[in-house]
Amino acid sequence: MRRLPVYLLIDTSGSMRGESIHAVNVGVQAMLSALRQDPYALESVHISIITFDNEAREHTKLSALENFQFTDIVVPSAGGTFTGAALECLVGCVDRDVRRSDGDQKGDWRPLVFLMTDGTPSDAWAYGEAIKEVKKRAFGSIIACAVGPKARHEHLKQLTDTVVALETLDSTAFAGFFKWVSASVASGSTSAGVNSSTDTLPPPPPEIQLVL
């Protein structure tokens, strides 16, 4: 069975403490529930979560949706926004996890990536270098979400053309974002990567602005 790998990169820098990370945890739970009701998603979707502050770590290894055990993401009391480290971690995980086509054996679908951050990369040089590595790999879609007033769009635009903005850090906005992520993943699993460009993404809910 071909898998659709989905990587969620979640900013856990100090500014995400409190309501923001609580809303993220609630949103991820809701997203998992929504996807589990979709037979196509249940067959193909595998999810991994990478978190990043002063370092990046694999919060949850790539796991099948039906077996995915979510534990709440926590934020340390302080920490920078090492987005470059997060992308390096992503590249390492993708190189290890994603099965390539091999003779008669079809590989996995091209992975989807959702990166959520409320700040600017603290490791700007490493971030630029990591983007070069990301671009060498075949991702289906990379969607970057800038959360709140301090998130800068121009850094995210270097990574992907698909940048969305959440103006507020409240649970309604996050719920809307993760609902949209689950719809995007579900549409990805239905079209199963046939033309996994951003054109196949469903329109975002009102809380989310596409940054053009």
Side-chain angles (χ1 to χ4, degrees):
M1 182 68 208
R2 298 182 74 182
R3 307 178 303 170
L4 175 66
V6 178
Y7 290 88
L8 301 179
L9 278 57
I10 308 280
D11 181 346
T12 47
S13 58
S15 49
M16 290 288 288
R17 275 175 80 78
E19 193 193 351
S20 295
I21 203 65
H22 173 69
V24 166
N25 285 322
V26 171
V28 172
Q29 292 278 25
M31 178 191 81
L32 293 169
S33 310
L35 285 173
R36 284 182 175 134
Q37 287 159 25
D38 180 310
Y40 287 107
L42 259 184
E43 269 190 4
S44 59
V45 170
H46 284 59
I47 295 178
S48 166
I49 297 176
I50 291 168
T51 59
F52 59 100
D53 37 73
N54 279 348
E55 56 176 10
R57 65 195 72 73
E58 215 176 356
H59 178 271
T60 316
K61 276 197 151 96
L62 193 69
S63 323
L65 178 60
E66 58 183 336
N67 310 327
F68 190 88
Q69 298 284 327
F70 178 66
T71 50
D72 273 359
I73 297 167
V74 292
V75 172
S77 53
T81 309
F82 281 70
T83 321
L87 294 181
E88 287 164 16
C89 184
L90 168 69
V91 164
C93 292
V94 164
D95 288 353
R96 181 193 69 203
D97 297 336
V98 177
R99 300 177 192 146
R100 304 186 189 293
S101 297
D102 169 27
D104 309 331
Q105 190 72 38
K106 284 279 198 194
D108 291 331
W109 302 113
R110 292 191 297 165
L112 305 182
V113 177
F114 295 88
L115 168 77
M116 178 180 249
T117 180
D118 72 344
T120 307
S122 308
D123 55 348
W125 187 82
Y127 178 68
E129 292 300 298
I131 287 174
K132 295 177 194 167
E133 289 303 314
V134 167
K135 297 205 189 267
K136 288 179 192 166
R137 285 153 182 85
F139 286 99
S141 302
I142 299 178
I143 293 135
C145 177
V147 181
K150 292 194 187 128
R152 304 288 288 281
H153 304 153
E154 60 269 24
H155 289 92
L156 299 175
K157 281 285 188 193
Q158 295 166 17
L159 173 67
T160 174
D161 292 334
T162 313
V163 177
V164 297
L166 280 185
E167 293 309 316
T168 51
L169 294 171
D170 62 30
S171 46
T172 315
F174 278 114
F177 174 72
F178 282 107
K179 202 177 280 177
W180 182 62
V181 170
S182 51
S184 307
V185 170
S187 77
S189 61
T190 313
S191 67
V194 181
N195 49 354
S196 50
S197 71
T198 46
D199 307 340
T200 57
L201 291 175
E207 304 88 9
I208 297 173
Q209 285 82 42
L210 275 168
V211 178
L212 299 170

